[in-house]
Amino acid sequence: MSDLKEICSGLPLNPLPANRGRDPNVPHAPVRTPNLTAEEERLALRNALRYFPPSHHATLAPEFAQELRQYGHIYMYRFCPALRMRAYPIDQYPCRTRQAASMMLMIMNNLDPAVAQFPQELVTYGGNGQVFSNWAQFRLVMHYLSEMTEEQTLVMYSGHPMGLFPSLPSSPRAIITNGMVIPNYSSRDQYEKMFALGVSMYGQMTAGSYCYIGPQGIVHGTMLTVLNAGRRYLGSGDLRGRVFVTSGLGGMSGAQAKAAVISGCIGVIAEVDEVPLRKRHEQGWLMEVTSSMEQCIKRIREARSSKTPLSLGYHGNIVDLWERLVLEFERTGELLVDLGSDQTSLHNPYNGGYYPVQLSFRQANQLMSTDPDRFRSIVQESLRRQVMAINKLSNAGMFFWDYGNAFLLEAQRAGAEVKKVDGGATEFRYPSYVQHIMGDIFSLGFGPFRWVCTSGEPQDLAVTDSIAATVLEEISASVSDRIKQQYNDNIRWIREAGKHKMVVGSQARILYSDQKGRVCIALAINQAIADGRVSAPVVISRDHHDVSGTDSPFRETSNVYDGSAFCADMAVQNFVGDAFRGATWVALHNGGGVGWGEVMNGGFGLLLDGSEEAAKRARLMLNWDVSNGVARRCWSGNSNAYETIQRTMEDNRQLRVTMPFPVQDEHMLDRALQG
């Protein structure tokens, strides 16, 4: 395609493209407030201009300065391509290697307006999860990838392409790091400055690693969470007539509506921004929409009575909804909610991640840039109100959990009553979903395995769905009772996945699987490519929110109680280990999920092209990618992980893991410490 060749030809300089500014037809990121000094503004401008020859500086400097002052960042809108961003079939990219083409496909999928939250600001999801920092970086990366050979590796520094460096055919084709800041300087305020200066970037989890696949990427994990919350808190996997109330219909939170219906319950999701609300409704992810609180309460009662699965989007503030549910309980004694959570982007509470109940959506967007201190105070007051309502409903019998979005962390910082008496550093009044639900699943080795069919053909996706289901059914015939339930849940999921029309952007699928399942599915798909049953290569990946990929004390590793929850060795080891075991590209990020400075996470992409070499890489890398995390969880004292890694060592005699000896007499510790 000539258009794809154009965006792969490097920076368009002779002539410069017309500056069309921001497109009014797509949503835009909130204005950032980096509070730069005059000297820092000069530095930000100088840093942006270094992408261009001096002959263009007089033209570009004034508009870049205007962007910096108007939006708080230099996005370089002039260089945003006119080409429709989407995952084009892999053979259309002008590349020397299919590995490079697969990365181009994944990058363009991350920036597809149907997928990305703020496409012109290069934000994929989470309010500030960047693919790149500016459009010059995008164009340079596409150019480098188009020229890359199998003896070169693209090196990425927080969105900036450092360049192509000589390497081996067995090396990753790209090494990506985002936000690798010296720990003492990894604060939110420092981040805003560094991002404005163009020297660091928040890649979220799968935005800056190019592996985001739309809201489907979390829908399976959300379904498993809701299903297992019912089993744990309500004593039943049958959720018909049960009400789940939460908030957020953006990039990741948008999965909640679909997951609720698949689980069989009534999902009521509040969303203040009409754009994502309508988007999810149009995409078929949300069944009904209302901006009337009366209609919302009426539909909850009707669906509860008929036990009809429903996803209802309430266009309004979640705090208003919680407070109304309290009022209904106090008036009638009727508790209209069984399960509750929250998925607003509270890793980014003061720049569009959370909208306080006291202000309209428009007022909030205005105040966060004109008076950030007052806005911060109003957000914290709103969080206190939200928690007060949740506490009342919880006391009445609702079960609430933290969804790993830093809700309880920020509520605690705001002075809300979320403290757990005698709790540890990662414990609050309500558990995180990792502590009570997903942590056990991770410790068994199960996590969010993904693949993308690079042909763009729905038929290829259907074939891979069938392959995955068959593989899991074969394995499940000989698994222990402890993991039988996990296999059954995932077989049911993949058998029905196609019916739920979850594809947004690339032809992708997510499936929770353990180590053996991931390896066997990857090898079976690779064989199907070799046989021609799948028409083009497939990219395999995973969410960073997984068994091994992430060290996050308030989410992924919140159920690690040996004092190492705040250590980040696992994520770094995963990144390095995946690199030399055959990943096509690897990424390591500061931030993701619960925010900048709170987490370290790593991910990978691996191209399956039907070759024996691809099979070898998949086998070696996927085994490590899971075992690393299970071994760490085992060493921390987790019994599920202990059994899982023991079983893995029996299957693979080359694997030898240091196993912990438990203290069997707790009183002995007391006696020793008493002298």
Side-chain angles (χ1 to χ4, degrees), residues 109 155 274 304 479 604 610:
N109 184 65
V155 177
E274 192 173 9
R304 280 182 87 218
V479 300
F604 73 87

Side-chain angles (χ1 to χ4, degrees), residues 473-522:
E473 284 166 351
E474 288 171 358
I475 298 173
S476 71
S478 57
V479 300
S480 67
D481 290 342
R482 184 182 282 267
I483 61 173
K484 178 73 81 172
Q485 180 73 67
Q486 296 302 324
Y487 267 90
N488 289 344
D489 285 348
N490 288 295
I491 290 166
R492 171 185 154 196
W493 162 265
I494 196 65
R495 283 288 182 206
E496 297 179 2
K499 300 176 193 171
H500 294 292
K501 298 178 180 173
M502 291 179 290
V503 169
V504 176
S506 59
Q507 292 293 322
R509 187 66 75 221
I510 185 167
L511 169 67
Y512 267 61
S513 185
D514 61 358
Q515 181 172 324
K516 188 170 185 177
R518 297 186 207 202
V519 173
C520 291
I521 291 167

Side-chain angles (χ1 to χ4, degrees), residues 484-663:
K484 178 73 81 172
Q485 180 73 67
Q486 296 302 324
Y487 267 90
N488 289 344
D489 285 348
N490 288 295
I491 290 166
R492 171 185 154 196
W493 162 265
I494 196 65
R495 283 288 182 206
E496 297 179 2
K499 300 176 193 171
H500 294 292
K501 298 178 180 173
M502 291 179 290
V503 169
V504 176
S506 59
Q507 292 293 322
R509 187 66 75 221
I510 185 167
L511 169 67
Y512 267 61
S513 185
D514 61 358
Q515 181 172 324
K516 188 170 185 177
R518 297 186 207 202
V519 173
C520 291
I521 291 167
L523 295 178
I525 289 175
N526 193 58
Q527 187 58 50
I529 296 164
D531 296 344
R533 286 174 289 143
V534 174
S535 69
V538 169
V539 173
I540 59 170
S541 182
R542 57 162 170 75
D543 194 352
H544 296 200
H545 170 63
D546 194 16
V547 179
S548 296
T550 299
D551 287 297
S552 180
F554 297 102
R555 196 163 87 177
E556 283 79 2
T557 45
S558 59
N559 67 330
V560 168
Y561 301 115
D562 69 343
S564 71
F566 291 87
C567 300
D569 301 76
M570 179 174 69
V572 176
Q573 289 283 2
N574 235 66
F575 166 78
V576 174
D578 286 352
F580 67 74
R581 286 179 176 87
T584 305
W585 70 93
V586 289
L588 183 68
H589 301 174
N590 169 11
V594 297
W596 179 266
E598 304 284 1
V599 48
M600 197 70 73
N601 68 91
F604 73 87
L606 175 61
L607 186 70
L608 301 176
D609 60 7
S611 66
E612 183 50 46
E613 173 66 17
K616 179 181 172 185
R617 288 172 180 242
R619 193 181 289 111
L620 193 61
M621 198 212 71
L622 291 173
N623 276 311
W624 153 258
D625 194 65
V626 179
S627 278
N628 175 43
V630 179
R632 186 268 176 101
R633 291 165 193 276
C634 164
W635 186 244
S636 77
N638 186 288
S639 59
N640 280 349
Y642 188 99
E643 291 180 25
T644 302
I645 205 69
Q646 269 195 322
R647 192 170 60 249
T648 309
M649 283 192 286
E650 289 165 10
D651 290 343
N652 184 351
R653 294 296 175 184
Q654 284 188 296
L655 177 66
R656 295 177 65 186
V657 172
T658 308
M659 304 296 279
F661 292 103
V663 171

Side-chain angles (χ1 to χ4, degrees), residues 37 86 97 151 172 176 197 211 217 342 463 482 493 529 535-536:
T37 64
R86 68 178 182 87
T97 80
E151 293 185 333
I176 304 161
L197 292 174
C211 292
D342 185 278
V463 172
R482 184 182 282 267
W493 162 265
I529 296 164
S535 69

